Amino acid sequence: MAETSPSFTVTMNDGKSAKPEQPVPEPASKNMVWTDGKQTIKYTATAEMLPLHTDDGTLIGHMFALSYVSDAKDKTDRPVTFCWNGGPGGSSAMVNIGGLGPRRVPINTIKQLPCPTKPEDNPYSLLPTTDLVYLDAMGTGYSKVAEGYDPKKVWGVDGDADAFMRGIAQWLTTHERWNTPLYLYGESYGTMRNSVLMRVLGERGIALTGVIEQSTILDYAPTLSGNDLYYMGMLPVYAATANYFGKAGAGVDQFEWFDRAWKFVDEKYGRALIASDSITPEEEHELAVEMSELIGLPAEFIEGKHLRIELDTFRKTIMADEGLFTGRYDTRFTEPAYMDVQGDNEFFAGEDPSGDAIMTPDQSAWMKLVQETGFKGSPINMLLSMKVNEEWNWTHQAPGTMGSPVCPNTAYDMGTALRRNPFCRVLFFGGIHDAATPFWNVKHSISKMFLPESITSRIEYKVHENGHMAYEDLPTLEKMAPELAAFYEKRHEA
C-alpha cells in the first residue's frame, strides 16, 4: 500500500530549515454494495496516496487515488479504467461523483443543484463493466508534490503525463492488476493528457485497450487570439444554443440544426474566414444573413464583426432581450446579466452559470464520500487549483515535429500511439452545447492527420445534447451508458 512518512524537518544546503514534511495519510477502505435495481455488485472503495518516484528513486510526491474495485474473485478479463478531469489544475472529483462512479449526486440537467445533496447509487455507473480508479493531478485534490521537489517538473504537458504514467504503474503494482485490460477516461484537458499518456505508457511497456475522450481538446491552436479555427468550431455551438432558446431554427430538430451549421462551416464559412478582406462587401453581407438565420443574432451585427463572433459576445447577446447571459461549459444554463460597469471581460469570461449549478454540491458530496472510507485527508481539497493552471508549462514537442511550441497539438501523440498499438480503440464524446471544447475542432484535429483506415476504423465519435460535463445531462447519460458498454465489449474483437 502507499507509504507513510513521519513528520520531519528538511535542512537545506544553506543551513536554513524548510517547513516540515506533512505525514501521508494511511490508506482507507470500505466494503460497499451498488445496485441499479436489476443487478447488485459488491465492491471495495479505497482512498490512498500513491508514492511517485523518478527512475533514480527520488520522491516526486504522492498522488491521491480513489478506486472502486469489484469483489469478484476472477478479474482475468475485468478492465481497469483510470479516470480524471481537466483544468489542467482540476482534480478527478467531478467525473466521479458527477455521473460515472458507483454513487452520484442526483442531477437536474439544466437547473441549479441544492446543497446539501443526497448521493445515490448511480444507475449509469461504469462499475458493472470495469473497475474504476480516479487519480488527482499533482497539486490538485489531495495530491501533493514532495518538499524539495520542483513542482514545475510535473506542472506541464510532458511532466504531467510522466507523473500519471508513474501513478498508474504504482496502482497496478500495489493492487496486483498487471496484465489486465486497461482504459483511460479523460474529460477536457484530461483528453489532452490521455493523448500524451497513450504514447508514454506504450513507451514504458504498459499497453492500453481503449481510451475514452469526453469533451475533447487535442490542439490548442484555436485558443490563440484571432485564430480562424476558433470561430469555425464555435459556430455550430452558437447554432445549437440559438435553436434551444427558440432564437433560430424553430421546429427543426436540434441535431439537424447543429449539422446544418456544421455544413455551413465546412462549405462556406471557413473559406470566407481564410479569404478575410478579399471577399466583397456583397459576399460578406450574404454570409452574414445566412449566419444570422443559423445563430439568431442580427445580420448587421454579424456583418459589423466581419463574421467573427467571440464566445463572450454571443453569451452576452443571445439572451440579452430577457436580461440573461448564457453558460460556457453548457450554453443552455443562464443567469441574470451583469451591467458592463460591474466587471471587465476577464471577470465575465470566468462567470459560468453551468459551473455555479453543480460544482459546490458535487464537491461537498465528494468530500463526504471520501470521508466515509475512513481516509483522513486535509479539510481543504483543491477541486480546481488556479496556481497549477497559472504555472502550467505548455511546451510540448509532438512526435514528428520540430521544436517545442507553447501551443501543444497532442493529436500527433495519439496518432503515434495508435500506429504502435493496433489493438487500442478510441471513443470521442462531444456535446452540441459545449462551448469550452467544441466538437467540430476535435473532428478537424483528427481528420487533418489523414490516418489510414486501419486506424480510423478504431476511432468512434458520439455527439449528444449535453454541454461540457456530459454526465450532468440525464438524456445524455441514458445514451452514453449503452454506447460505453458496447465500446468495452469490442476488446473481445480481433
Side-chain angles (χ1 to χ4, degrees), residues 304-381:
K305 300 288 186 181
H306 295 295
L307 311 180
R308 291 159 168 82
I309 305 298
E310 301 289 335
L311 174 59
D312 287 348
T313 299
F314 182 82
R315 293 174 58 212
K316 287 181 178 180
T317 308
I318 190 64
M319 296 293 288
D321 58 345
E322 299 181 36
L324 303 170
F325 73 97
T326 72
R328 172 176 172 262
Y329 286 131
D330 190 326
T331 56
R332 296 172 297 176
F333 284 78
T334 61
E335 281 182 3
Y338 286 92
M339 292 286 290
D340 287 342
V341 72
Q342 287 180 270
D344 59 15
N345 285 337
E346 183 178 0
F347 170 80
F348 178 78
E351 286 296 287
D352 193 337
S354 54
D356 295 339
I358 62 173
M359 288 188 177
T360 298
D362 278 4
Q363 168 78 339
S364 178
W366 183 88
M367 291 287 282
K368 179 65 173 177
L369 185 69
V370 174
Q371 199 172 50
E372 289 176 358
T373 68
F375 185 77
K376 304 299 183 182
S378 165
I380 303 299
N381 183 277

Side-chain angles (χ1 to χ4, degrees), residues 34 39 41-43 68-81 125-132 171 177-183 488 491-492:
W34 171 91
Q39 57 180 321
I41 297 175
K42 293 181 179 180
Y43 68 99
Y68 307 107
V69 176
S70 165
D71 291 344
K73 291 184 179 180
D74 184 6
K75 297 185 176 66
T76 307
D77 185 50
R78 183 166 173 82
V80 175
T81 303
S125 175
L126 280 171
L127 188 64
T129 301
T130 175
D131 291 334
L132 298 164
W171 191 93
R177 291 297 294 275
W178 284 93
N179 199 31
T180 195
L182 298 182
Y183 289 77
Y488 278 88
R491 72 183 184 276
H492 299 127

Side-chain angles (χ1 to χ4, degrees), residues 180-339:
T180 195
L182 298 182
Y183 289 77
L184 308 181
Y185 193 117
E187 177 192 33
S188 197
Y189 180 83
T191 63
M192 176 168 279
R193 174 181 295 136
N194 280 354
S195 301
V196 182
L197 257 178
M198 290 173 69
R199 176 181 59 79
V200 172
L201 285 168
E203 291 170 351
R204 290 300 186 115
I206 304 174
L208 292 172
T209 305
V211 177
I212 301 156
E213 301 278 73
Q214 179 201 303
S215 306
T216 310
I217 181 168
L218 302 178
D219 181 6
Y220 262 64
T223 67
L224 298 176
S225 299
N227 191 293
D228 290 333
L229 293 174
Y230 169 90
Y231 304 105
M232 295 164 72
M234 285 296 179
L235 194 134
V237 180
Y238 295 162
T241 307
N243 176 269
Y244 177 81
F245 287 114
K247 306 294 183 180
V252 181
D253 175 77
Q254 58 182 336
F255 294 106
E256 180 182 341
W257 199 250
F258 182 78
D259 289 342
R260 283 191 198 181
W262 192 298
K263 184 177 181 181
F264 174 72
V265 170
D266 288 349
E267 297 181 355
K268 298 180 180 181
Y269 187 52
R271 296 179 184 183
L273 293 180
I274 292 171
S276 298
D277 67 359
S278 295
I279 64 174
T280 66
E282 292 76 20
E283 290 173 318
E284 185 174 67
H285 175 74
E286 182 179 332
L287 287 164
V289 170
E290 191 167 354
M291 274 184 67
S292 175
E293 293 174 355
L294 286 168
I295 70 173
L297 299 183
E300 58 273 17
F301 180 82
I302 296 171
E303 197 169 354
K305 300 288 186 181
H306 295 295
L307 311 180
R308 291 159 168 82
I309 305 298
E310 301 289 335
L311 174 59
D312 287 348
T313 299
F314 182 82
R315 293 174 58 212
K316 287 181 178 180
T317 308
I318 190 64
M319 296 293 288
D321 58 345
E322 299 181 36
L324 303 170
F325 73 97
T326 72
R328 172 176 172 262
Y329 286 131
D330 190 326
T331 56
R332 296 172 297 176
F333 284 78
T334 61
E335 281 182 3
Y338 286 92
M339 292 286 290

Side-chain angles (χ1 to χ4, degrees), residues 65-104:
L66 181 56
S67 54
Y68 307 107
V69 176
S70 165
D71 291 344
K73 291 184 179 180
D74 184 6
K75 297 185 176 66
T76 307
D77 185 50
R78 183 166 173 82
V80 175
T81 303
F82 293 91
C83 312
W84 35 72
N85 284 86
S91 73
S92 62
M94 296 289 289
V95 78
N96 182 347
I97 197 72
L100 297 175
R103 296 179 69 192
R104 67 165 185 172

